[in-house]
């Protein structure tokens, strides 16, 4: 029997530690995500099941998706009994001190086929957050600073950030201590230079892909926040796409909703790098 536990680095979504149904992890690098009971669960399972065998997905794009290891019925985290779970890659399993940010992409998080009640709920949240005005919202983040001091702002505080606030949060995310008024951005270039390269690679695909529309999908950025790392290293920053319960057939159309939000995020990352002086001089001139 594999021993499962509650993930410490989850920053968004339903969390098992709040006493409700949520994800679990094991010690072998796997992430167990409970399937939602309606069409959202079956939709996400179908997406993962076909993703890695779909010849339309370029090989260089597959790296942006968590590895998929099938599904399994296991004991639910809320004690309700057996429940089907997706078995995915635990993205942070190989990190000693992972800093994580979850950014929900798009100015609209609901798909056209959704019920009126669901659209109403999503639209209210979109209006109350930075989703509509910026094209994305920071759903959650987590970073440990000096003396193991945890910086994890409450999600409600992250919901309705202005452009200036988003810049500050991103700067704090790549600082030695996020819980300060004046961030030092010491990890800025080591993290956001490779992250920018990844985002630009994703952007090129979204400019041409007409396979899927990714509603309510997130970009997850993770890096190793180990101050003992050699400063010339990239701090092992990675970009992943997560949450595919609302992916729909693009029917031959560009996903402008996701592409627009991605371009907006790219601009913010470029602006953070531009503020670093010499570190920002090598930023790609690729424009959205």
């Amino acid at each position: 029997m594999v021993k499962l536990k509650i993930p410490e680095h989850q920053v968004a979504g339903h969390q098992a530690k709040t006493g409700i149904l949520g994800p679990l992890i094991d010690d072998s690098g796997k992430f167990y995500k409970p399937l939602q009971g309606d069409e959202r669960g079956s939709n996400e399972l179908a997406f993962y099941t076909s993703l890695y065998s779909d010849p339309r997905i370029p090989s260089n794009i597959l790296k942006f998706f968590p590895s998929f290891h099938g599904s399994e019925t296991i004991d639910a985290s809320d004690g309700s009994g057996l429940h089907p779970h997706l078995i995915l890659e635990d993205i942070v399993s190989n990190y000693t001190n992972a800093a994580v940010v979850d950014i929900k992409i798009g100015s609209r998080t609901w798909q056209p086929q959704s019920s009126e009640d669901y659209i109403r709920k999503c639209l209210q949240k979109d209006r109350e957050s930075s989703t509509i005005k910026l094209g994305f919202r920071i759903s959650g983040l987590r970073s440990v600073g000096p003396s193991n001091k945890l910086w994890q702002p409450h999600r409600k505080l992250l919901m309705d950030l202005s452009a200036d606030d988003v810049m500050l949060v991103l700067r704090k995310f790549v600082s030695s201590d996020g819980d300060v008024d004046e961030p030092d951005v010491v990890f800025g270039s080591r993290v956001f230079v490779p992250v920018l390269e990844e985002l630009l690679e994703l952007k090129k695909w979204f400019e041409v892909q007409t396979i899927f529309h990714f509603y309510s999908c997130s970009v997850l950025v993770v890096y190793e926040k180990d101050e003992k790392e050699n400063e010339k290293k990239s701090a092992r920053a990675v970009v992943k796409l997560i949450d595919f319960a609302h992916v729909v057939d693009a029917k031959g159309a560009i996903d402008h909703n996701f592409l627009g939000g991605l371009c907006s995020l790219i601009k913010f990352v470029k602006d953070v790098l531009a503020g670093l002086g010499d570190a920002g001089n090598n930023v790609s001139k690729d424009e959205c």
Side-chain angles (χ1 to χ4, degrees):
M1 179 68 69
V2 177
K3 184 177 181 180
L4 302 178
K5 56 189 177 182
I6 297 171
E8 294 182 359
H9 294 88
Q10 185 185 352
V11 296
H14 299 297
Q15 298 184 7
K17 62 184 177 183
T18 60
I20 60 176
L21 184 64
L24 298 166
I25 59 172
D26 64 18
D27 291 324
S28 70
K30 292 185 175 64
F31 183 90
Y32 298 75
K33 180 178 180 179
L35 279 174
Q36 293 169 289
D38 52 21
E39 70 278 359
R40 291 173 293 179
S42 58
N43 191 42
E44 186 161 31
L45 176 59
F47 176 81
Y48 271 114
T49 301
S50 64
L51 176 66
Y52 288 94
S53 60
D54 193 328
R56 300 173 298 174
I57 312 297
S59 57
N60 68 303
I61 296 300
L62 288 175
K63 68 181 179 181
F64 292 107
F65 296 91
S67 299
F68 176 58
H69 303 282
S71 62
E72 185 177 342
T73 299
I74 61 173
D75 286 322
S77 61
D78 61 356
S80 60
L82 294 175
H83 189 91
H85 288 64
L86 295 171
I87 308 177
L88 306 170
E89 169 191 4
D90 180 9
I91 297 169
V92 304
S93 63
N94 292 323
Y95 289 78
T96 301
N97 183 11
V100 184
V101 62
D102 181 308
I103 304 171
K104 192 171 293 293
I105 303 295
S107 57
R108 189 178 83 183
T109 58
W110 46 272
Q111 62 196 67
Q113 300 90 340
S114 301
S115 67
E116 290 186 8
D117 181 60
Y118 184 77
I119 292 175
R120 185 164 50 251
K121 290 179 180 179
C122 289
L123 189 55
Q124 180 179 353
K125 185 176 289 187
D126 292 348
R127 286 171 173 167
E128 293 174 350
S129 70
S130 65
T131 291
I132 293 177
K133 61 187 177 185
L134 298 182
F136 66 86
R137 69 171 177 258
I138 299 176
S139 297
L141 59 82
R142 184 185 192 275
S143 176
V144 176
S147 302
N148 293 320
K149 182 181 179 182
L150 177 65
W151 178 57
Q152 188 169 5
H154 195 280
R155 296 184 198 178
K156 290 185 178 179
L157 296 177
L158 296 171
M159 282 286 289
D160 189 19
L161 298 177
S162 66
D164 288 341
D165 290 335
V166 168
M167 277 290 294
L168 180 59
V169 168
L170 292 178
R171 285 169 55 82
K172 287 184 174 185
F173 177 64
V174 290
S175 294
S176 58
D177 186 356
D179 197 19
V180 295
D181 293 332
E182 297 293 334
D184 56 25
V185 204
V186 68
F187 295 97
S189 60
R190 291 195 297 166
V191 174
F192 281 146
V193 167
V195 163
L196 178 60
E197 292 176 356
E198 299 278 81
L199 294 177
L200 289 172
E201 187 174 1
L202 262 181
K203 169 182 165 285
K204 288 181 180 179
W205 184 58
F206 273 93
E207 287 175 333
V208 297
Q209 79 89 9
T210 57
I211 308 167
F212 304 113
H213 283 186
F214 291 86
Y215 292 104
S216 199
C217 173
S218 289
V219 163
L220 193 75
V221 176
V222 183
Y223 76 92
E224 178 64 73
K225 193 174 183 181
D226 186 349
E227 295 185 358
K228 296 179 182 179
E229 290 260 335
N230 187 314
E231 290 187 2
K232 295 182 179 180
K233 292 185 179 180
S234 65
R236 295 171 54 208
V238 299
V239 172
K240 293 285 186 177
L241 298 178
I242 60 170
D243 298 337
F244 308 110
H246 302 280
V247 175
V248 299
D249 189 332
K251 297 181 179 179
I254 296 290
D255 187 356
H256 290 290
N257 179 61
F258 191 96
L259 179 60
L262 186 61
C263 282
S264 179
L265 176 59
I266 286 171
K267 182 181 184 304
F268 276 88
V269 172
K270 285 183 175 181
D271 286 348
V272 172
L273 287 172
L276 298 179
D278 291 341
N281 291 337
N282 295 322
V283 174
S284 170
K285 301 304 180 182
D286 185 289
E287 296 293 342
C288 288

